[in-house]
Amino acid sequence: MIRLDDVQIFVRTADAGSFSEAARQLNIAPGQASACVQRLEKALETRLFTRSTRSMQLSEAGERYLPHARLMMDAQERGELALADGRSALTGTLRLSAPSDFGRNLLLPWLDDFQHQHPGLSLQLKISDRAADLIRQPLDAVVRYGTLPDSSLLAMTLAGDNRRALCAAPAYIERHGAPTKPEDLRQHNCLRYVWSEQVHERWRFTLPGGERTVAIMGNRMSDDADAVRRWAIAGKGLVYKSRLDLIDDLKAGRLVELFPAAHCEPAPLSLICADRSRLTPAINALHLFLKDRCAALLASHPPRDDIG
């Protein structure tokens, strides 16, 4: 018999990359997380992770099982949400923070639809490329890219498979050509942005021969990632940022993807709460709603791995 809590811990461990990090997020002991995954492996009669003294990663079977495990967890959340919706409508104020590009161009229209579904909710939205402090600021949740550095917070995956994309406008490529390998970036104008007081100027890639990090340079930088995307569309240089933020531009031909998706840095997107006690019905509903919208957007323009 497969236990849903074991499946939940397996999914959280796959996202976190370790039993200890998954255990911290779920407020359980690391040994308990490991035991739950081992029990799931026994029930499935297969190894879901390959482990060594230094690392742990999904096995081939684990890679195949993970999407189905996510569907099981989604089904459980939807069932709980359906029961909650049947008991009472969502009301009150939902206070959110989101990064600039995602917040302005994707989240704003999505929140219109979400509030239309739940008219009893009031929304307060802060848009900023500074990392919001869930402990000190009056926020219910934040939308954030990247791996969660503070293990005391609770992260709910919105787009775990999202990656960065290296892109340029057709006009820029016509004038300057396209890079074919990371080292070529040193000869190009790379558009930089500041996230939480740190300049994003070391661009990382994963190639068949290993990881490469390139220190890039350029003549434009902003603390607003949306401005950097707009510069790229105008042909001012190369941009390297979340593919979710760039999909509409890629579909419209305003930008061109230059490197295979598998070579680009992961950029998982999460909805984050201060702790499990903040998981209100409104937050749970928003999590499922945004997760569906992210999945649909990524599926509308799948990445190509045969670029170049």
Side-chain angles (χ1 to χ4, degrees), residues 106-216:
L106 295 177
L107 187 60
L108 273 178
W110 290 353
L111 286 178
D112 287 343
D113 294 341
F114 184 72
Q115 193 172 38
H116 181 73
Q117 293 179 15
H118 306 286
L121 280 177
S122 296
L123 296 173
Q124 295 179 8
L125 178 62
K126 176 182 179 182
I127 293 179
S128 174
D129 281 332
R130 293 178 179 269
D133 190 332
L134 275 165
I135 306 302
R136 295 180 175 86
Q137 294 179 322
L139 293 168
D140 298 303
V142 302
V143 177
R144 188 180 298 172
Y145 282 112
T147 303
L148 186 64
D150 185 352
S151 60
S152 68
L153 303 178
L154 177 66
M156 296 168 284
T157 301
L158 296 177
D161 297 331
N162 184 53
R163 289 180 173 271
R164 297 187 186 276
L166 181 69
C167 301
Y172 179 90
I173 297 171
E174 185 177 348
R175 291 194 307 269
H176 303 286
T180 59
K181 56 185 182 299
E183 289 75 13
D184 293 345
L185 297 177
R186 297 190 179 97
Q187 279 73 55
H188 285 268
N189 194 44
C190 297
L191 305 172
R192 297 167 293 165
Y193 62 88
V194 180
W195 164 250
S196 192
E197 316 239 345
Q198 290 190 338
V199 181
H200 184 232
E201 58 187 356
R202 293 181 63 81
W203 292 2
R204 293 187 296 171
F205 303 89
T206 302
L207 306 181
E211 290 194 358
R212 301 280 180 84
T213 299
V214 180
I216 54 90

Side-chain angles (χ1 to χ4, degrees), residues 41 46-50 57-65:
E41 290 177 325
T46 190
R47 295 294 296 271
L48 298 173
F49 292 100
T50 57
Q57 60 185 9
L58 285 168
S59 66
E60 183 180 347
E63 294 276 7
R64 292 198 304 269
Y65 185 68

Side-chain angles (χ1 to χ4, degrees), residues 46-102:
T46 190
R47 295 294 296 271
L48 298 173
F49 292 100
T50 57
R51 306 166 178 86
S52 70
T53 56
R54 294 187 176 181
S55 66
M56 182 181 74
Q57 60 185 9
L58 285 168
S59 66
E60 183 180 347
E63 294 276 7
R64 292 198 304 269
Y65 185 68
L66 182 58
H68 301 285
R70 293 194 194 281
L71 288 175
M72 292 169 66
M73 300 316 303
D74 284 348
Q76 181 189 33
E77 288 187 53
R78 291 177 195 281
E80 293 173 352
L81 182 59
L83 292 175
D85 286 346
R87 289 192 293 266
S88 62
L90 299 181
T91 59
T93 300
L94 193 54
R95 301 164 300 179
L96 306 170
S97 175
S100 62
D101 203 347
F102 181 87

Side-chain angles (χ1 to χ4, degrees), residues 58 62 91 197 239 248 256 307:
L58 285 168
T91 59
E197 316 239 345
V239 66
D248 285 343
V256 177
I307 298 171

